[in-house]
Amino acid sequence: MSDTLGGLLTIALLVALLAAAYVPLGDHMARVYTDTRHLRAERVVYRLCGVDPGAEQGARSYATSVIGFSLVGVVVLMAVQLGQAALPMDRGLPGVPFWMSVNTAVSFVTNTNWQSYAGESTMGFTAQMAGLAVQNFLSAAVGIAVAVALVRGFVRSRTGALGNFWVDLTRGTVRILLPLAFVGAVLLVAGGVVQSFTDSTMGTLAGHSQVLTGGPVASQEAIKQLGNNGGGFFNANSAHPFENPTAVTNFLQIFLILVLPVALTRTLGTLLGNRRQGLAVLAVMGVLWSASLAVATWAEVGAHSPTAQAAGAAMEGKETRFGEWASALFAVATTGTSTGAVNASHDSLTATGGGVVMVNMMLGEIVPGGVGAGIYGILVMAILVVFVAGLMVGRTPELLGKKIGARQMTYVALYTLTTPALVLVGTGIAISRDSTSDAMGNPGGHGFSEVLYAFTSAANNNGSAFGGITVTSDFFQVMLALAMLLGRLLPIVLVLMLAGSLAEQGKVPVTAGTLPTHKPLFVGMLVGVILIMTGLTYFPALALGPIAEALA
């Protein structure tokens, strides 16, 4: 079988499996957040935490809970890392350095999983399981909870209540993430991914001994992909044979990355009572993701650069067991969502391929986006589209039965400005420092791309990196931590305030002048606005990095 046929069949099978899971999983998640019953395990959690599951929270209370929970999570995870040497199964490793512990704690709590360390030589098994893996579940559940709260803002009328964050958090963890991660871990173990609690000492062909790092890899790998977290047990992430040994496990990991963001569009339609709205959102995500995959695959498979032509293929930084097609598919999946896991070195992608994965993040992580974050991100863009459409026809904009006024547009404007400001200001400050040139792995446009990619990844809570840059200095540890924390919490607060303002309104009846938001016209407008916004915002920076490199 040729590589081209194998690659196309892989994509076709992936789409088929996602389609098969779309309805049952999407409807299950909708039932999770509308069920009036509480499971026994959930009631135990509520009693231990002193939570009244019947109480509703307004936008401010919901946002305060999210922020408080996240900040406490940062402190606890820092304590686990700093005190690692006193924990069982520490593997004889010392505590993590202070600023690295800050960066790592913020990274995992914000669902970014940016890693400035090598897991096998920095983290013990307890820190991996009780610290990092726990946040992989909780940060993903937070994203889903915020998305559901925004949907409630559209559904509810004349009330400020958006639900109960603690109930939403618990249900997302217990009823969605834990069962799916368990099944995923079992399948990964069956595929050869390591799951143990010891390192192994093996003899080499030269007669020496070598310590091979083991650990609870499969259990962390499953939620790492399912929750769009991305932080690897090993430094090489999903390029490491202990994390991702075969083409089968590689395919499974790509499926786990995409299944929840895709199925959540069905959840959206079900909760709104209009499944065509969910399909319209899925169509926008699908168009952008397909275009990204086509361009990235063309760039990586086609051997368009002189170097690739001389070598016969663009295989630098790629695993031979995966090849170019699977590496491009993984790269687009992980940057189109907020996962950030990698099965190849993004720093070694072609200039066009590297630019594509960077643009995926610059789109706002909405193709299809992170778990939950993709839904609330694209709904914010939909509000911007109906506002533009309203200006064009001189009509008060409406979306899903709610009027979009000055208050709502203020939240939308701040949301759309927050992440680009963090990316561009952070990149500008870093580039202005003399020491940054020493941290770059390459000079010129590619070196600039390394810095731009780092801040784009951090502020958009993706976590992948152009591996050529060294970010272990205190400056990068602090700056990237700030980008991750502000890039996560500020948009969430704005989304929740937007949801509260929508929930306070009554429903507006559909009239002949209402813009249908479930038809191809609106889908095309939304795609166009997303591309125009991204282009206007980031083109100057891209021109200095990947575009300049590609033209050179």
Side-chain angles (χ1 to χ4, degrees), residues 35 54 111 155 163 181 230 258 272 302 335 362 399 449 451 471 474 495 506:
D35 192 359
N111 199 244
V155 173
L258 294 171
L272 292 174
T335 54
M362 291 174 172
L399 180 65
S449 293
V451 179
V471 291
D474 290 349
V495 164

Side-chain angles (χ1 to χ4, degrees), residues 114-468:
W114 173 272
Q115 294 176 287
S116 59
Y117 62 92
E120 60 265 48
S121 60
T122 307
M123 297 289 178
F125 295 156
T126 301
Q128 292 270 20
M129 292 186 298
L132 306 185
V134 167
Q135 284 300 329
N136 282 349
F137 282 96
L138 297 179
S139 62
V142 168
I144 302 176
V146 173
V148 170
L150 178 56
V151 176
R152 290 187 185 126
F154 284 105
V155 173
R156 296 182 176 184
S157 297
R158 308 207 178 278
T159 176
L162 297 177
N164 187 311
F165 168 71
W166 307 106
V167 172
D168 293 338
L169 175 72
T170 304
R171 288 186 174 187
T173 304
V174 172
R175 301 193 195 185
I176 299 172
L177 296 172
L178 275 171
L180 292 176
F182 177 81
V183 174
V186 171
L187 293 175
L188 288 171
V189 170
V193 178
V194 171
Q195 182 72 14
S196 67
F197 292 99
T198 59
D199 296 334
S200 302
T201 302
M202 309 294 290
T204 67
L205 294 175
H208 304 293
S209 63
Q210 179 180 2
V211 177
L212 299 179
T213 303
V217 180
S219 55
Q220 185 164 327
E221 192 74 10
I223 186 58
K224 153 193 158 181
Q225 309 293 24
L226 183 69
N228 293 165
N229 298 282
F233 195 94
F234 297 97
N235 186 43
N237 209 282
S238 289
H240 197 291
F242 288 1
E243 281 195 38
N244 192 9
T246 68
V248 174
T249 58
N250 189 67
F251 179 85
L252 175 59
Q253 290 187 25
I254 295 173
F255 174 78
L256 290 174
I257 288 171
L258 294 171
V259 66
L260 284 182
V262 170
L264 276 167
T265 62
R266 170 75 177 192
T267 306
L268 169 66
T270 302
L271 292 176
L272 292 174
N274 185 347
R275 286 170 177 156
R276 292 182 298 177
Q277 299 288 353
L279 290 173
V281 169
L282 179 62
V284 174
M285 294 175 172
V287 167
L288 292 171
W289 189 83
S290 299
S292 173
L293 178 61
V295 175
T297 302
W298 171 83
E300 298 306 312
V301 173
H304 301 288
S305 68
T307 304
Q309 290 172 1
M315 280 298 293
E316 179 188 302
K318 299 181 178 67
E319 293 294 307
T320 55
R321 67 184 185 278
F322 303 140
E324 297 154 313
W325 279 84
S327 298
L329 177 59
F330 199 109
V332 172
T334 195
T335 54
T337 61
S338 64
T339 307
V342 295
N343 74 344
S345 172
H346 287 191
D347 196 41
S348 295
L349 296 176
T350 63
T352 302
V356 167
V357 296
M358 199 183 304
V359 169
N360 278 347
M361 296 183 289
M362 291 174 172
L363 290 173
E365 298 290 16
I366 54 175
V367 287
V371 175
I375 292 295
Y376 65 70
I378 205 163
L379 285 176
V380 169
M381 295 306 297
I383 291 174
L384 181 59
V385 170
V386 297
F387 176 75
V388 172
L391 291 178
M392 293 170 65
V393 298
R395 178 183 171 87
T396 301
E398 302 168 9
L399 180 65
L400 303 174
K402 297 297 178 76
K403 288 187 176 183
I404 308 301
R407 182 181 175 190
Q408 288 74 36
M409 285 309 303
T410 299
Y411 296 134
V412 170
L414 291 173
Y415 181 98
T416 57
L417 290 172
T418 296
T419 303
L422 292 171
V423 172
L424 298 175
V425 172
T427 302
I429 293 174
I431 288 294
S432 68
R433 291 171 54 90
D434 294 336
S435 59
T436 299
S437 60
D438 297 328
M440 295 177 183
N442 296 272
H446 194 80
F448 178 83
S449 293
E450 292 174 350
V451 179
L452 178 62
Y453 193 107
F455 281 94
T456 301
S457 178
N460 284 281
N461 300 140
N462 183 271
S464 63
F466 266 16

Side-chain angles (χ1 to χ4, degrees), residues 30-122:
R31 289 192 296 270
V32 165
Y33 292 102
T34 54
D35 192 359
T36 57
R37 299 175 297 107
H38 303 287
L39 301 181
R40 180 178 300 177
E42 294 168 351
R43 291 197 296 269
V44 171
V45 173
Y46 301 147
R47 283 197 295 270
L48 290 175
C49 299
V51 172
D52 178 7
E56 292 269 334
Q57 293 179 293
R60 293 182 183 275
S61 177
Y62 204 105
T64 301
S65 297
V66 173
I67 294 172
F69 180 74
S70 299
L71 295 180
V72 169
V74 170
V75 174
V76 171
L77 188 50
M78 281 183 60
V80 169
Q81 296 176 81
L82 293 171
Q84 174 176 244
L87 298 175
M89 295 187 291
D90 64 323
R91 300 176 55 234
L93 295 171
V96 178
F98 180 79
W99 287 116
M100 183 177 288
S101 74
V102 172
N103 184 282
T104 303
V106 170
S107 174
F108 277 76
V109 168
T110 59
N111 199 244
T112 310
N113 289 34
W114 173 272
Q115 294 176 287
S116 59
Y117 62 92
E120 60 265 48
S121 60
T122 307

